[in-house]
Amino acid sequence: MPLHFRVGQVENARKHLCLLGQPQDRTELQKLQAVEKHLCKCTDARRIRDWKSALRETDAAIASGADFSPQLFMCRVEALLKLHQLDDAESSLSVVPKLESCTNSCSQTKFFGMFSEAYLFFVQAQIEMALGRFENAVTAAEKAEQIDPRNVEVAVLLNNVKLVARARARGNDLFKSERFTEACSAYGDGLRLDPSNSILYCNRAACWFKLGRWEHSVEDCDQALSIQPNYIKALLRRAASNSKLERWADAVQDYEVLRRELPDDNKIAESLFQAQVALKKSHGDFGEEACNIKQFRAAISLPGVSVVHFKMSSNMQCKQISPFVDSLCDRHPSVDIEESPEVANAENISILPTFKIYKNGCCLKEMVCPSREMLEHSVIHYRSYNP
């Protein structure tokens, strides 16, 4: 009885417990009844797609003694997957008891209306799909169909998995050929069959980005991240799209998450700094100090015109003209040559105050001790400059 009970075979466990002429163990019978009750509730919850209840009842059945049932552990994986808790679902796979450790009769029992072994492959196919391993998903679904060829639920899954895998492969081929609009359509075909697939949403977001439709890219990344919150590719694409839309606060938020996840990635660090600088500029904070070459290059490479004020805090002319520059310029990074001598040397600054106008990282004009009229005229002129 203990083995049948632990693997969740309640009917076989009951038969063993209730053999004629054998005294019934009240404690074991109570455990069996508890597992039966939770399994029944779990079956009902799964049938109506109440995945929170299915997860709760599965955990209760395991806690009641059916702690070596691969099917119950895979039911837990399925419920977590349906609840969009993909990381938890994936980690739960590592604690699923191996089928070969179970009795041979285990695979011949029914679980949720399908053969027990088929159910294991049925859930595996779903999680492989969610993780973007589409070929593995097809293989698992085919194994489930081989074990239980008459089960409708298995047949439907196999058909969907094949169609989604085909749509994703077609989308990838079109993307590689730079046929981004057609690739969007292909990924959309897959999403109509599997509307909770974060991989397909992220792939389509890449297409929207290439097409310059950054709003759509953000929307698809939002969908992907609602399903898989720590999806690095989706975070990167959303941050890049928000930067294109000049939604700097949103871009900074995503880059900060990415920085914590990938602390050694220099590109992310640079993108974060650029977004932070742009955010401050958008709030009217024109006093941003560029303290080193890296920060200086990032500041002058931002979209639009940057007017850089090379100054010294003790220089009276610098002090007098700074308020005028603040009111005049859309983007006004400053470099204190005492604090940032390497920047001053790289830009060959010898007389103060000096102003340089940059666009997309290129210096368009240099002015040494300019009058207010000259500075204003130059800024107005280069704002509309389009080389």
Side-chain angles (χ1 to χ4, degrees):
M1 185 275 186
L3 180 58
H4 288 304
F5 179 67
R6 290 189 66 195
V7 299
Q9 296 181 27
V10 291
E11 291 184 8
N12 290 337
R14 181 173 287 282
K15 288 177 183 177
H16 188 277
L17 188 63
C18 299
L19 283 174
L20 291 175
Q22 296 289 333
Q24 291 189 359
D25 185 316
R26 182 175 295 276
T27 301
E28 293 297 322
L29 182 59
Q30 288 175 342
K31 287 183 181 179
L32 178 60
Q33 289 171 340
V35 170
E36 283 181 317
K37 179 187 71 173
H38 293 304
L39 277 174
C40 183
K41 288 184 177 181
C42 180
T43 301
D44 291 341
R46 185 180 181 276
R47 184 170 54 251
I48 62 174
R49 301 296 187 259
D50 179 1
W51 297 108
K52 287 185 178 180
S53 295
L55 179 61
R56 183 177 62 251
E57 296 301 332
T58 298
D59 286 342
I62 293 171
S64 295
D67 58 354
F68 206 67
S69 168
Q71 289 73 29
L72 277 173
F73 279 86
M74 286 299 266
C75 180
R76 191 174 194 283
V77 171
E78 184 181 29
L80 288 168
L81 185 61
K82 297 297 186 181
L83 291 169
H84 295 169
Q85 298 177 34
L86 184 55
D87 290 343
D88 290 338
E90 185 179 13
S91 63
S92 294
L93 281 175
S94 62
V95 297
V96 175
K98 301 300 181 183
L99 181 65
E100 51 267 28
S101 301
C102 188
T103 60
N104 292 331
S105 62
C106 179
S107 61
Q108 299 304 313
T109 60
K110 289 290 186 81
F111 200 82
F112 299 141
M114 68 182 77
F115 287 127
S116 295
E117 188 178 1
Y119 178 69
L120 302 181
F121 288 114
F122 177 84
V123 178
Q124 183 184 345
Q126 294 179 70
I127 196 164
E128 295 284 8
M129 280 281 287
L131 293 169
R133 300 192 286 253
F134 293 85
E135 293 78 11
N136 292 350
V138 172
T139 300
E142 286 175 339
K143 288 181 179 178
E145 194 267 343
Q146 290 169 4
I147 296 166
D148 201 346
R150 296 184 179 181
N151 187 277
V152 174
E153 199 172 1
V154 170
V156 170
L157 176 70
L158 176 58
N159 183 62
N160 280 2
V161 166
K162 286 182 175 179
L163 290 174
V164 173
R166 194 177 306 156
R168 184 253 195 170
R170 187 170 68 255
N172 287 357
D173 289 341
L174 290 166
F175 187 90
K176 290 174 185 176
S177 301
E178 299 186 357
R179 295 159 65 183
F180 302 121
T181 300
E182 294 170 78
C184 275
S185 179
Y187 293 133
D189 290 341
L191 284 166
R192 278 188 285 276
L193 294 164
D194 188 8
S196 296
N197 195 292
S198 59
I199 307 299
L200 294 178
Y201 278 118
C202 192
N203 287 355
R204 192 169 67 176
C207 296
W208 292 130
F209 187 88
K210 291 289 187 179
L211 291 167
R213 300 179 69 177
W214 301 303
E215 288 273 7
H216 289 301
S217 182
V218 170
E219 289 171 3
D220 274 355
C221 288
D222 286 344
Q223 289 285 353
L225 290 163
S226 71
I227 299 164
Q228 193 175 349
N230 297 318
Y231 192 179
I232 297 297
K233 281 187 178 181
L235 283 167
L236 281 167
R237 285 172 185 160
R238 187 169 70 179
S241 297
N242 277 320
S243 295
K244 290 289 186 180
L245 293 165
E246 298 187 9
R247 296 174 179 170
W248 301 115
D250 292 333
V252 166
Q253 186 174 359
D254 282 341
Y255 281 129
E256 285 176 340
V257 174
L258 288 162
R259 185 77 171 131
R260 290 194 294 270
E261 293 291 327
L262 302 169
D264 299 324
D265 192 308
N266 291 330
K267 288 185 178 180
I268 290 174
E270 184 176 347
S271 295
L272 172 59
F273 176 74
Q274 289 179 342
Q276 288 171 330
V277 170
L279 177 61
K280 289 182 179 181
K281 302 310 176 190
S282 70
H283 289 166
D285 183 1
F286 301 126
E288 179 70 22
E289 291 276 352
C291 297
N292 55 49
I293 289 290
K294 185 176 180 180
Q295 291 179 349
F296 174 74
R297 297 298 178 201
I300 65 174
S301 297
L302 291 169
V305 171
S306 297
V307 180
V308 182
H309 182 191
F310 295 90
K311 63 181 184 178
M312 185 183 292
S313 57
S314 59
N315 184 286
M316 185 58 63
Q317 285 182 283
C318 294
K319 288 182 178 180
Q320 289 175 344
I321 201 168
S322 287
F324 175 72
V325 179
D326 288 346
S327 64
L328 176 65
C329 301
D330 288 333
R331 184 169 292 110
H332 169 215
S334 61
V335 178
D336 189 316
I337 66 169
E338 290 181 315
E339 298 291 335
S340 312
E342 59 175 333
V343 178
N345 290 334
E347 293 297 305
N348 298 315
I349 304 301
S350 57
I351 302 175
L352 298 176
T354 293
F355 293 86
K356 287 190 178 185
I357 298 179
Y358 298 85
K359 189 165 188 178
N360 300 326
C362 297
C363 182
L364 304 178
K365 186 176 180 66
E366 179 177 355
M367 294 166 283
V368 178
C369 300
S371 66
R372 294 189 178 192
E373 291 76 14
M374 179 183 179
L375 183 58
E376 182 174 11
H377 174 78
S378 298
V379 169
I380 292 172
H381 172 73
Y382 284 106
R383 272 178 180 166
S384 58
Y385 179 72
N386 190 18

